[in-house]
Amino acid sequence: MESLNLFISLFLFSFSYFFLGAESDHLQHSNSKSLRPNRLFVFGDSYADTGNIRKSLSDSWKIPYGITFPQKPSGRFSDGRVATDFLARYLGIKSPIPYTWKDYAGKERLLYGMNYAYGGTGVFKTKDNPLPNMTTQIDYFERILTAGNIYSPSHIPSSLALVSVAGNDYATFMALKRPLTELPAFMQQVVGQIEVNARRIHKLGVKKIAITSMQPLGCLPSITVFASYQRCNATDNIATNLHNYLLHKAVARLNSETKPSTFVVIDHYNAFLTVFKNKGPEPGVTRFGKPLEPCCVGIDSNHDCSNVDEKGEKKYTICEDPKGAFFWDVFHPTEEGWRSVYSVLHKSLKDVWI
């Protein structure tokens, strides 16, 4: 990890000095304004997944996940609602049904859209994960459109696509122990594939596509645990900023191809930091006393939130009040964390889509 930190620091110092400018808005967007979308299609990972993974394959279906909403595990990687739910709430629609549950939903429910996101996935295949990456998720979407028995061609242009990428590709890069010198080129590949995916979704007829920036990876509890949850890892956040810079450039290219411009970046990075730094009353944003400390953790490094032993005894601890924690586990926000993030983002979303 020290060699990675040194490499990224040296490589990105000059890059960030000459090229990276802080985004003052929480949303990079086109100058065009239009009506609010009336359905939502979702692609991505655990920040967006609302229950696609089979119950036997994921901790998100185990207690204590879902204790806040819906008071039982629902396949969400949180104690309650996640990013998808809050974006849908902003649009004034119900959260889109998970793809794997489509056959159990009524036709009226399906008209709000569909969620193809699977926790643990990335734009490429991720380590030891057989679940569909984003390319395959878009394949599923295309098949649904081709079948024509749920959505007609008139439904799609008034829809919004959410593309969520939260870092699983980079976690796989590190797990495979690839040479650190390959990291900058790999970042280009990841963002390049996101660009390909977004362009493909647009060609399938979706006219509004929102792509989340990477959250500050150096602030995840899996990283801040080494600093007793007291501070973020600045070097990891510099690397995250490189990904986000490349993403903004990709979105600019996409918008140059479309009239009117319809691709946006939802700035999770700065929204997360805004919530972390909130020290006083800010409408809609909870003040978290220890924002980097997770609510649910394993009792030691060999266990995670939701783990039990062969006798069913808990091998995790949970905080007294999940609403007082920004992070649920070592990777994912609580419902209250997500609510605060989307409260920060609310104004910038309103500026674009109303």
Side-chain angles (χ1 to χ4, degrees):
M1 182 60 70
E2 291 180 358
S3 58
L4 172 62
N5 290 346
L6 178 61
F7 172 79
I8 294 178
S9 295
L10 293 174
F11 176 81
L12 293 181
F13 176 79
S14 60
F15 184 96
S16 60
Y17 182 83
F18 288 108
F19 295 103
L20 291 181
E23 293 280 341
S24 58
D25 295 330
H26 289 291
L27 191 70
Q28 176 190 332
H29 56 81
S30 67
N31 291 325
S32 62
K33 294 186 179 182
S34 55
L35 296 176
R36 188 181 303 206
N38 55 19
R39 63 186 51 80
L40 179 61
F41 296 105
V42 183
F43 308 89
D45 48 36
S46 57
Y47 275 23
D49 186 0
T50 54
N52 268 317
I53 306 178
R54 286 191 313 183
K55 293 183 178 182
S56 61
L57 297 179
S58 178
D59 287 348
S60 61
W61 285 104
K62 299 176 182 178
I63 296 172
Y65 285 83
I67 61 169
T68 298
F69 173 85
Q71 290 84 53
K72 61 181 180 180
S74 67
R76 290 170 171 84
F77 289 81
S78 182
D79 66 309
R81 297 170 179 88
V82 296
T84 297
D85 301 302
F86 286 100
L87 183 56
R89 177 182 291 183
Y90 168 74
L91 296 176
I93 63 175
K94 294 181 180 180
S95 195
I97 201 77
Y99 169 74
T100 55
W101 293 88
K102 65 184 183 303
D103 295 335
Y104 306 97
K107 188 170 184 180
E108 182 178 348
R109 184 74 172 80
L110 292 171
L111 289 179
Y112 294 110
M114 196 172 291
N115 188 342
Y116 299 89
Y118 283 77
T121 64
V123 296
F124 301 121
K125 185 181 184 301
T126 49
K127 190 175 186 296
D128 299 327
N129 191 329
L131 300 172
N133 65 15
M134 196 175 297
T135 297
T136 304
Q137 294 171 26
I138 300 172
D139 290 342
Y140 295 163
F141 177 52
E142 186 171 9
R143 290 174 196 167
I144 292 287
L145 298 185
T146 301
N149 58 344
I150 299 177
Y151 306 110
S152 69
S154 63
H155 287 141
I156 307 307
S158 60
S159 303
L160 169 70
L162 172 65
V163 175
S164 168
V165 181
N168 292 318
D169 292 287
Y170 298 121
T172 297
F173 179 95
M174 297 303 299
L176 294 176
K177 302 182 189 273
R178 290 180 56 177
L180 300 179
T181 51
E182 295 179 3
L183 183 57
F186 182 68
M187 286 185 174
Q188 292 272 10
Q189 293 170 8
V190 169
V191 175
Q193 188 61 45
I194 294 172
E195 182 177 351
V196 168
N197 291 342
R199 186 179 289 110
R200 182 182 172 198
I201 294 169
H202 182 262
K203 288 182 177 179
L204 289 172
V206 181
K207 301 305 180 186
K208 298 180 186 299
I209 299 169
I211 308 169
T212 62
S213 69
M214 193 83 70
Q215 77 280 12
L217 295 180
C219 298
L220 297 181
S222 59
I223 300 297
T224 63
V225 63
F226 300 108
S228 301
Y229 306 118
Q230 296 300 306
R231 63 182 180 277
C232 301
N233 184 299
T235 304
D236 288 345
N237 283 348
I238 290 174
T240 307
N241 267 319
L242 174 55
H243 168 96
N244 290 337
Y245 169 78
L246 295 172
L247 178 63
H248 281 278
K249 297 291 285 185
V251 165
R253 287 192 297 271
L254 289 165
N255 279 328
S256 71
E257 300 170 4
T258 57
K259 302 296 181 183
S261 300
T262 55
F263 296 86
V264 298
V265 175
I266 297 180
D267 192 356
H268 277 181
Y269 184 91
N270 282 308
F272 272 52
L273 292 181
T274 297
V275 175
F276 294 159
K277 295 174 183 177
N278 178 36
K279 299 299 182 184
E282 183 173 340
V285 180
T286 298
R287 182 184 182 278
F288 298 100
K290 298 179 179 179
L292 306 181
E293 185 171 334
C295 177
C296 186
V297 293
I299 61 172
D300 54 41
S301 60
N302 295 318
H303 295 91
D304 299 313
C305 178
S306 83
N307 286 175
V308 296
D309 64 16
E310 61 277 3
K311 297 180 181 179
E313 295 182 359
K314 297 177 183 178
K315 293 299 178 180
Y316 62 89
T317 61
I318 187 170
C319 63
E320 183 175 342
D321 181 16
K323 289 186 177 180
F326 179 87
F327 282 107
W328 169 242
D329 57 23
V330 297
F331 299 110
H332 307 98
T334 58
E335 174 175 302
E336 190 65 19
W338 278 124
R339 188 190 68 80
S340 294
V341 165
Y342 274 81
S343 293
V344 169
L345 291 166
H346 182 84
K347 184 179 184 300
S348 56
L349 292 173
K350 183 177 180 180
D351 288 343
V352 178
W353 290 322
I354 290 184

